[in-house]
């Protein structure tokens, strides 16, 4: 049996660029040196996109379950039987329906341990809504399916990692939602993920302010003084190396982020706008805090360029590699701990130890 990491891939909206970046990625056979990809979709939908891209020499190995995946091939599981009407570049109810069928089957296999990680191609957060999907996005859906109490939207690249305290909520609700305990919890999650998933022994985390100029000593808002600073102090006392709050504009403008292993932003756009400006083509959205590994490219459905064979697959490739590396890092850490337990030696401090100590 192959020990290669099995990566499940949900296809996202069939009318967007999801299958284009998936196919461009998997057409490179060198990907198979790192992982065993398993796409959840349908042969006819994939064939439509494959022909549009002119990838006539590329074919999937069609299997009925992830357990039958060939580690030397790109694999495909058919998730439905009927024909699907494809309208490239258009948001349709059909696009949402089949994006959800792909996601549901892939997530089922992920939860059951049939695959080691999941990479999700972009969905349309509006047309995917249904009786079984009433979530702002992938992150919240996967949180419920995993049974995780809390998760962290963690944008990662080679040069920058950004987490957010509040995710998919209206901007008008951000200030009233943020609490000291919430910030401390997100810092714990970043700290744990950096240790467990990225093998950074002593992570250094920057915390951004909420208001312009980080409140300017209370002149422009009191959240920094009353909520954010106390959270930083509490987290630091619990062994998390964190500093701030920093004014977001100057922090990114003068590249202060390069001095840290990660950054905690207070809300979605405060973190994602600079991240995508700095690392758009190579950025990856990683959901930390789940019981399993999930990544995605950091772009959307790209309706405006769908079907034009111009979508850049770099972010999707990076998402595939990130999922593979994180699974391998977790495996190595688990093996290291098991070896130490068997040998009766002292167990080194792990991410879970840090979490327990912090509690």
């Amino acid at each position: 049996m192959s020990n290669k990491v099995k990566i499940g891939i949900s296809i996202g909206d069939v009318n967007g660029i999801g299958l284009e970046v998936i196919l461009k990625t998997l057409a490179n056979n060198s990907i198979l040196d790192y992982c065993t990809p398993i796409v959840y979709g349908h042969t006819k939908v994939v064939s439509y996109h494959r022909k549009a891209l002119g990838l006539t020499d590329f074919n999937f190995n069609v299997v009925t379950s992830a357990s039958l995946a060939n580690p030397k091939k790109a694999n495909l599981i058919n998730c439905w039987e009927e024909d699907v009407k494809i309208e490239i570049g258009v948001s349709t109810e059909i696009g949402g329906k089949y994006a959800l069928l792909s996601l549901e089957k892939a997530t089922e296999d992920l939860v059951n341990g049939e695959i080691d990680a999941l990479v999700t191609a972009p969905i349309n957060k509006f047309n995917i809504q249904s009786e079984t999907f009433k979530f702002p996005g992938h992150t919240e859906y996967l949180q419920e399916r995993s049974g995780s109490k809390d998760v962290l939207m963690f944008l990662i690249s080679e040069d920058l990692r950004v987490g957010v305290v509040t995710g998919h909520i209206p901007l008008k609700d951000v200030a009233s939602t943020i609490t000291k305990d919430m910030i401390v919890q997100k810092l714990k999650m970043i700290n744990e993920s950096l240790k467990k998933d990225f093998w950074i022994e002593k992570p250094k985390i920057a915390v951004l302010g909420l208001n312009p100029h980080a409140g300017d000593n209370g002149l422009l808002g009191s959240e920094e003084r009353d909520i954010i600073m106390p959270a930083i102090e509490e987290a630091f006392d619990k062994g998390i190396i964190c500093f701030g709050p920093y004014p977001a504009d100057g922090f990114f403008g003068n590249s202060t982020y390069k001095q840290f292993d990660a950054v905690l932003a207070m809300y979605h756009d405060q973190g994602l706008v600079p991240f995508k400006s700095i690392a758009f083509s190579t950025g990856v959205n990683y959901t930390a805090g789940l019981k399993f590994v999930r990544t995605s490219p950091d772009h959307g459905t790209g309706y405006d360029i769908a079907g034009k064979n111009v979508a850049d697959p770099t972010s999707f490739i990076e998402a595939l590699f990130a999922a593979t590396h994180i699974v391998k890092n977790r495996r190595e850490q688990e093996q290291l701990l098991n070896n130490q337990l068997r040998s009766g030696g002292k167990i080194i401090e792990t991410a879970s130890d840090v979490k327990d100590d912090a509690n």
Side-chain angles (χ1 to χ4, degrees):
M1 179 183 291
S2 172
N3 195 40
K4 198 183 294 182
V5 177
K6 285 185 178 180
I7 304 291
I9 300 171
S10 61
I11 62 172
D13 193 310
V14 297
N15 295 319
I17 62 172
L19 271 167
E20 179 176 336
V21 297
I22 291 170
L23 288 166
K24 285 179 175 178
T25 298
L26 301 185
N28 184 345
N29 285 331
S30 64
I31 293 293
L32 301 175
D33 295 335
Y34 300 93
C35 65
T36 300
I38 305 168
V39 173
Y40 290 78
H42 194 276
T43 49
K44 288 185 178 180
V45 173
V46 168
S47 179
Y48 179 96
H49 285 270
R50 183 174 59 85
K51 289 177 182 177
L53 295 172
L55 295 174
T56 54
D57 295 333
F58 175 77
N59 289 292
F60 279 100
N61 175 51
V62 181
V63 293
T64 55
S65 71
S67 62
L68 301 175
N70 187 333
K72 297 181 181 179
K73 301 277 188 179
N75 302 273
L76 173 70
I77 293 177
N78 285 321
C79 300
W80 57 83
E81 297 180 0
E82 65 274 15
D83 291 337
V84 175
K85 182 181 180 181
I86 298 176
E87 298 179 70
I88 292 295
V90 180
S91 172
T92 67
E93 184 178 338
I94 288 175
K97 174 183 176 180
Y98 291 97
L100 180 56
L101 286 175
S102 170
L103 177 62
E104 286 178 330
K105 176 57 179 171
T107 304
E108 179 183 342
D109 280 359
L110 183 65
V111 171
N112 293 332
E114 296 293 322
I115 54 179
D116 299 306
L118 173 63
V119 179
T120 58
I123 58 172
N124 180 308
K125 294 179 177 63
F126 176 77
N127 69 25
I128 198 173
Q129 299 298 318
S130 69
E131 287 302 312
T132 56
F133 190 99
K134 297 180 179 180
F135 303 92
H138 278 115
T139 303
E140 295 80 7
Y141 170 78
L142 292 167
Q143 177 181 354
E144 180 173 283
R145 289 298 305 270
S146 75
S148 300
K149 292 182 179 180
D150 194 12
V151 294
L152 173 77
M153 184 187 295
F154 204 16
L155 281 293
I156 59 175
S157 70
E158 185 175 346
D159 299 320
L160 177 62
R161 301 180 188 91
V162 177
V164 293
V165 177
T166 58
H168 296 125
I169 68 171
L171 184 59
K172 67 181 177 60
D173 297 332
V174 169
S176 61
T177 299
I178 292 173
T179 65
K180 176 172 73 71
D181 290 344
M182 184 184 293
I183 295 171
V184 172
Q185 175 63 14
K186 298 298 184 182
L187 284 168
K188 288 181 185 177
M189 296 177 74
I190 291 179
N191 192 62
E192 180 174 350
S193 180
L194 291 172
K195 289 187 173 188
K196 180 175 68 174
D197 300 328
F198 301 96
W199 282 65
I200 299 173
E201 186 177 357
K202 294 182 179 180
K204 186 179 176 184
I205 306 167
V207 181
L208 301 182
L210 172 66
N211 298 295
H213 307 295
D216 205 2
N217 295 316
L219 181 64
L220 302 176
S222 61
E223 286 83 2
E224 284 77 12
R225 180 190 63 215
D226 297 341
I227 299 173
I228 301 175
M229 271 302 303
I232 293 170
E233 291 168 0
E234 180 177 325
F236 199 93
D237 289 342
K238 292 181 176 180
I240 299 172
I241 305 172
C242 54
F243 302 93
Y246 294 96
D249 55 352
F251 181 84
F252 289 106
N254 61 20
S255 299
T256 304
Y257 68 88
K258 293 181 179 180
Q259 301 172 22
F260 294 89
D261 298 300
V263 181
L264 179 62
M266 291 297 113
Y267 57 93
H268 184 281
D269 284 14
Q270 185 189 50
L272 270 65
V273 168
F275 180 87
K276 291 188 176 185
S277 298
I278 294 166
F280 186 73
S281 64
T282 60
V284 173
N285 182 6
Y286 171 50
T287 307
L290 295 173
K291 298 175 182 178
F292 42 69
V293 176
R294 176 260 174 166
T295 65
S296 73
D298 71 346
H299 56 71
T301 54
Y303 289 136
D304 57 325
I305 60 171
K308 298 178 181 178
N309 198 8
V310 296
D312 184 352
T314 306
S315 182
F316 189 87
I317 294 170
E318 292 296 328
L320 199 66
F321 283 146
T324 303
H325 291 154
I326 291 169
V327 170
K328 288 182 175 179
N329 283 346
R330 290 187 179 188
R331 283 181 179 178
E332 289 176 15
Q333 187 179 73
E334 184 177 356
Q335 184 62 46
L336 179 62
L337 293 173
N338 288 338
N339 289 343
Q340 289 175 326
L341 285 171
R342 282 195 296 268
S343 66
K346 182 180 182 297
I347 302 175
I348 61 170
E349 183 181 57
T350 66
S352 16
D353 293 329
V354 171
K355 183 176 181 182
D356 290 341
D357 290 343
N359 291 333

